[in-house]
Amino acid sequence: MNGQTSIRHISALRSFEAAARLRSFQAAADELHLTPSAISHQIRRLETNLGQALFVRTHRKVDLTAAGQTLQGYVSRGFAEFARGIHAISDATRAAELRVSVAPTFAAAYLTPRIEQFERFNPALRLRLDMSQNLVDFERGEFDAVIRMSARPPSGFFAEPVSKVRVAPVCSPAIGARLRSVAGLRQVTRIIISQAPDAWVRWHRAFGREDQKPRREVRFDPMTAGLQAAIDGVGVMIAPVDVIRKQVQEGRLMLPFDQIYETTSIYRFLCRKGDETLPKIVRLRNWLHQAVRDEERAAAQA
């Protein structure tokens, strides 16, 4: 298929992309507001033009052939680029949006208290924070940037360190009053976070100890649920001390021991390669780093 033919068959490529992603002609038809027969006709025309099958059709679903799998990758990226281009020129005629997915605990500690400040100094930008730990597909264009905690930067993205992760046991003051030593941890409920199931083992090992299993363990996901359980007096959990500073200052949580362990994980700012130099992304990065510096300065003065 030459370039001219490709442009002529853009609607067929759109039908192919939807059917390949959804693995269903019916679902693709519903999404594109067409009939299943129209989807089937466009894809057959595309297959004829290419000279090879793209789908294996069964009674209840369709699967991609090897050629279909190859084409899907290119077509999906192509439509994602179309969407990015449309969004880019739309920014010239309306106030730009900054859509950022942020780990909830990090957002609560550093960003949400400063949203008004950001908007005051950047009146042409609308900041939209999505507080979640869900995986983000940049190719779908849902977010401009992501802030996540990880031990190593993911490949294929611009990744910039934002804050180190230091952890320690935290609990309510009522439980803390009962903990006379580390050995006493065996007598209280241990809170485990699904994202970091070995956090307790790593903390003990950092200070030259073997982990001693407690009488009872409970698991939570996400971290915010575990923190709330700790505040409610359910038990003791390992938490990033820099993101729970407010709860400690307010007396809702405490660190029963002074043994703080710096992990290999880092909170990182992630975006598509090349986007890091966009003016709105630069402003976001600068604000983010300033927010972390302000919190660290306040902690040092406390």
Side-chain angles (χ1 to χ4, degrees):
M1 178 165 35
N2 58 40
Q4 183 179 7
T5 306
S6 298
I7 298 301
R8 280 209 311 266
H9 287 79
I10 192 72
S11 61
L13 289 170
R14 189 70 185 93
S15 294
F16 165 77
E17 187 280 331
R21 172 166 41 84
L22 300 170
R23 293 295 197 274
S24 167
F25 286 5
Q26 178 65 61
D30 293 341
E31 180 176 287
L32 299 178
H33 304 290
L34 297 171
T35 64
S37 61
I39 295 289
S40 180
H41 175 73
Q42 288 186 347
I43 290 174
R44 286 192 183 280
R45 185 175 61 179
L46 185 61
E47 289 175 322
T48 299
N49 191 265
L50 287 168
Q52 54 188 313
L54 300 174
F55 290 97
V56 177
R57 294 156 174 85
T58 62
H59 177 63
R60 294 190 176 183
K61 65 174 185 175
V62 292
D63 290 316
L64 289 167
T65 63
Q69 291 175 3
T70 299
L71 183 61
Q72 182 189 21
Y74 287 99
V75 171
S76 296
R77 289 191 293 272
F79 279 109
E81 284 298 302
F82 291 160
R84 289 180 64 192
I86 291 170
H87 181 75
I89 63 173
S90 297
D91 278 351
T93 57
R94 61 177 172 81
E97 282 186 352
L98 263 173
R99 299 158 300 168
V100 188
S101 178
V102 189
T105 49
F106 184 93
Y110 295 109
L111 303 187
T112 51
R114 295 176 172 84
I115 290 178
E116 183 179 352
Q117 176 197 62
F118 178 85
E119 294 177 340
R120 186 168 64 251
F121 287 102
N122 300 277
L125 293 176
R126 291 200 301 270
L127 183 63
R128 294 191 176 181
L129 294 183
D130 170 74
M131 289 182 254
S132 76
Q133 289 288 141
N134 298 332
L135 292 176
V136 170
D137 182 0
F138 278 123
E139 297 299 332
R140 296 184 65 82
E142 294 177 326
F143 296 101
D144 299 298
V146 169
I147 299 171
R148 291 288 188 271
M149 182 174 66
S150 63
R152 58 183 62 86
S155 60
F157 303 100
F158 171 80
E160 181 175 58
V162 173
S163 175
K164 294 180 179 179
V165 178
R166 304 182 308 140
V167 302
V170 300
C171 61
S172 68
I175 288 183
R178 292 156 39 197
L179 287 173
R180 303 299 181 184
S181 67
V182 172
L185 287 169
R186 297 184 63 185
Q187 309 303 318
V188 298
T189 298
R190 173 181 293 184
I191 296 174
I192 304 289
I193 303 303
S194 298
Q195 301 161 253
D198 60 347
W200 279 99
V201 174
R202 291 178 179 273
W203 179 74
H204 277 292
R205 189 177 298 160
F207 297 99
R209 296 187 298 265
E210 288 296 321
D211 183 30
Q212 298 294 317
K213 290 291 184 181
R215 293 181 177 178
R216 180 170 178 261
E217 291 183 344
V218 291
R219 289 180 176 264
F220 289 91
D221 183 27
M223 185 185 297
T224 49
L227 285 173
Q228 187 58 54
I231 291 171
D232 293 340
V234 172
V236 185
M237 71 173 283
I238 298 289
V241 297
D242 296 300
V243 301
I244 60 162
R245 194 173 292 122
K246 181 179 179 181
Q247 291 93 325
V248 172
Q249 291 172 344
E250 294 173 349
R252 292 185 291 159
L253 286 175
M254 66 170 291
L255 278 63
F257 315 112
D258 59 1
Q259 297 174 344
I260 298 175
Y261 162 53
E262 186 172 302
T263 74
T264 57
S265 294
I266 295 175
Y267 280 106
R268 289 183 172 86
F269 175 91
L270 307 173
C271 68
R272 304 175 192 86
K273 283 186 176 179
D275 282 5
E276 69 272 15
T277 59
L278 293 175
K280 68 178 184 178
I281 298 296
V282 171
R283 292 190 179 195
L284 175 64
R285 289 167 57 200
N286 290 341
W287 173 64
L288 175 63
H289 288 294
Q290 186 61 54
V292 173
R293 286 194 296 269
D294 288 347
E295 281 296 322
E296 290 176 347
R297 190 179 302 114
Q301 294 173 352

